[in-house]
Amino acid sequence: MKKELDFIISVIQGKIGDVSTIDWYNVVGFTELNKVSGYFYNRFKELGGKMPDNVNKKYKQIMYIQKNRNKLMRKYIQILIDELNRYKIPYAFLKGGVMSNANFNFCEQAFKCQMPTENRRNNYAIERKKTFYKEGERISNDIDILIDPAHISLMTKVLKELGFVQGYFDYNRNSIVELDRQEIINRRMNRGETAPFLKKINNSVLPFIEIDINFSLSYFPIENDSLRTKMLEGCVDYIGSIPYGIRSLEVNDFFLYLIMHQYKESILYSMAERNKTTELYKYLDIYLFIERGFIDLYDIINLAFTYKVTKEVYFVLYTISQIFTGLKINDVLERIKPCERGYLHEVFDPVTGKKYAWEISIYDRVLVSDKIKYLREIIYD
């Protein structure tokens, strides 16, 4: 599969190359499992690429499903917006729910102060179509929201009133299995987020809606409090596919959150067990922010030093540089390079206290599907 992964990365970075020996079965399967099918397909077509008719048909079907899925997700995002505003809970939507629906260059604050009254309507109509990902390019498994820990109880009340329960979806039984109280508490204490809230909606494209409530930037429930507070206080409402905008973090904070979240998922043993440590779509999100110039990495470095998260920022940016090799960020990495970098290849289980080390490279971790077998426990003398 290495040839196919090289090909996929090359297309994402704007080059097609020779496709005559590409195994399209591998390409379709890999892009689907890594949730980059929509972006890969659009990019490949924009570059003038030609793929077999049956492959092209498959990608069109994927795009159709993803567009309809996103439309359905938007309905529930709007419901949440209305309820959160009604209860006056400070919040920020995160990740794919924002990137599929927001123009990061155009928020409500800018709209109000930049546009002359007579031009507002036309400019609004134009700008709201320029979302970070085009329709269908990016999907989300869930709706992620960041809140302050003080509002978890109220947030739980709001979601229960909307018919959500904490649990997981059993596809075999086509039903939600509720988690017991102890498991709900354990997840809250060890992941920096609540157990998922689910609601069955009986839709063939999307059988249930899942909401993840984040209240920490780490897997510890009370770590980085000042950074989380700063992020929530600086929220803006981005213009886009949501009629009156979607509230999220200011663009630098949004990017830093993506980094912090990816670091958390990369180092947790439970994520390795679920093959979620190196999902390509999450790295694509971060890569596109850099490649499109939405953020200045030196501003991010300053934030990292201010909030003492240089280790996390270095980890994720270094990983990005190993996957998207055409991205020139070596000078940035040098500025925040820690003396000890062994942690780049380690994962941690906060429940048992055990540490593990990867036996394969970062690129190969993206490549393989059964990641856990490439970990070994670190035994200290």
Side-chain angles (χ1 to χ4, degrees):
M1 268 257 1
K2 186 177 186 301
K3 179 173 62 177
E4 280 70 39
L5 179 54
D6 289 345
F7 168 66
I8 292 164
I9 296 295
S10 177
V11 169
I12 287 172
Q13 295 193 283
K15 298 177 183 178
I16 291 182
D18 182 16
V19 300
S20 61
T21 61
I22 292 299
D23 185 331
W24 283 99
Y25 287 97
N26 277 340
V27 171
V28 174
F30 185 88
T31 55
E32 259 296 82
L33 286 173
N34 280 269
K35 302 186 183 73
V36 296
S37 292
Y39 185 80
F40 168 80
Y41 178 67
N42 274 356
R43 194 76 174 116
F44 186 80
K45 302 300 279 188
E46 288 167 4
L47 293 168
K50 302 294 182 184
M51 57 179 61
D53 289 343
N54 62 332
V55 175
N56 188 57
K57 181 179 179 181
K58 180 61 181 176
Y59 274 115
K60 283 185 175 181
Q61 290 172 342
I62 291 170
M63 289 292 286
Y64 177 81
I65 291 170
Q66 293 189 170
K67 287 178 182 180
N68 281 286
R69 182 186 175 104
N70 282 347
K71 288 177 183 176
L72 194 56
M73 292 284 271
R74 275 199 289 273
K75 172 186 172 182
Y76 283 89
I77 288 174
Q78 187 62 65
I79 290 171
L80 284 169
I81 289 172
D82 294 341
E83 290 301 300
L84 290 167
N85 290 343
R86 184 164 74 91
Y87 279 93
K88 296 182 170 56
I89 300 175
Y91 68 91
F93 284 95
L94 304 167
K95 297 161 56 179
V98 181
M99 287 181 281
S100 294
N101 295 299
N103 177 349
F104 282 93
N105 283 327
F106 206 74
C107 63
E108 282 292 346
Q109 283 81 343
F111 176 73
K112 290 174 181 173
C113 68
Q114 283 182 284
M115 298 298 168
T117 303
E118 59 269 25
N119 293 332
R120 282 185 181 178
R121 189 174 293 105
N122 289 336
N123 278 282
Y124 185 93
I126 294 169
E127 293 296 330
R128 69 190 299 267
K129 296 178 181 178
K130 299 177 183 178
T131 52
F132 187 86
Y133 281 109
K134 294 177 183 176
E135 185 70 287
E137 285 186 346
R138 170 71 152 81
I139 58 167
S140 303
N141 290 331
D142 46 45
I143 299 171
D144 287 275
I145 304 174
L146 180 67
I147 65 171
D148 188 279
H151 298 120
I152 293 175
S153 294
L154 180 56
M155 189 74 185
T156 300
K157 175 180 180 292
V158 170
L159 292 176
K160 285 184 176 179
E161 287 177 353
L162 290 172
F164 287 85
V165 297
Q166 288 182 277
Y168 64 92
F169 194 80
D170 186 329
Y171 284 92
N172 292 324
R173 293 190 290 175
N174 192 34
S175 63
I176 296 170
V177 178
E178 292 191 49
L179 295 173
D180 60 42
R181 179 171 173 76
Q182 187 58 50
E183 178 63 19
I184 290 171
I185 293 172
N186 285 342
R187 294 197 185 200
R188 180 168 165 179
M189 295 303 296
N190 292 306
R191 297 192 184 182
E193 59 188 43
T194 65
F197 289 85
L198 274 65
K199 180 177 181 177
K200 189 176 178 182
I201 58 173
N202 296 315
N203 185 281
S204 59
V205 174
L206 189 63
F208 64 93
I209 295 292
E210 177 179 332
I211 299 173
D212 285 348
I213 305 302
N214 299 259
F215 56 88
S216 173
L217 305 182
S218 172
Y219 54 83
F220 292 118
I222 57 172
E223 197 167 26
N224 300 116
D225 279 2
S226 59
L227 180 54
R228 183 199 61 242
T229 300
K230 178 256 184 192
M231 286 180 169
L232 285 171
E233 289 177 348
C235 283
V236 296
D237 293 311
Y238 291 107
I239 286 170
S241 304
I242 306 296
Y244 296 100
I246 182 168
R247 184 174 304 167
S248 188
L249 307 176
E250 180 274 330
V251 66
N252 280 348
D253 290 342
F254 191 96
F255 180 79
L256 187 56
Y257 174 83
L258 290 179
I259 284 182
M260 298 292 291
H261 186 80
Q262 184 54 44
Y263 176 76
K264 178 172 70 172
E265 294 210 334
S266 296
I267 65 165
L268 286 179
Y269 185 77
S270 60
M271 294 295 108
E273 286 184 308
R274 296 162 60 194
N275 291 311
K276 292 176 69 66
T277 53
T278 49
E279 293 177 299
L280 188 57
Y281 77 101
K282 295 176 183 176
Y283 290 118
L284 175 61
D285 292 342
I286 297 169
Y287 165 76
L288 290 178
F289 264 95
I290 301 170
E291 191 269 337
R292 292 174 176 176
F294 277 97
I295 49 91
D296 184 329
L297 282 179
Y298 291 103
D299 290 339
I300 303 302
I301 289 176
N302 290 335
L303 282 174
F305 278 112
T306 299
Y307 291 97
K308 299 180 174 58
V309 291
T310 53
K311 183 175 78 169
E312 292 88 338
V313 171
Y314 181 85
F315 180 103
V316 176
L317 291 183
Y318 174 78
T319 303
I320 293 287
S321 74
Q322 298 302 297
I323 298 171
F324 299 102
T325 53
L327 192 62
K328 307 302 182 184
I329 57 173
N330 288 339
D331 55 336
V332 173
L333 290 172
E334 282 296 317
R335 290 187 178 232
I336 55 171
K337 183 168 68 175
C339 297
E340 173 54 49
R341 297 189 295 280
Y343 76 103
L344 292 170
H345 306 288
E346 294 179 355
V347 299
F348 175 62
D349 186 350
V351 177
T352 64
K354 293 179 179 179
K355 279 189 176 182
Y356 302 82
W358 290 107
E359 295 180 319
I360 55 175
S361 70
I362 290 170
Y363 198 82
D364 286 340
R365 285 176 231 163
V366 177
L367 193 61
V368 299
S369 56
D370 188 9
K371 305 181 195 303
I372 196 74
K373 67 183 181 182
Y374 298 100
L375 276 177
R376 60 174 173 81
E377 185 181 347
I378 300 173
I379 306 296
Y380 297 97
D381 295 330

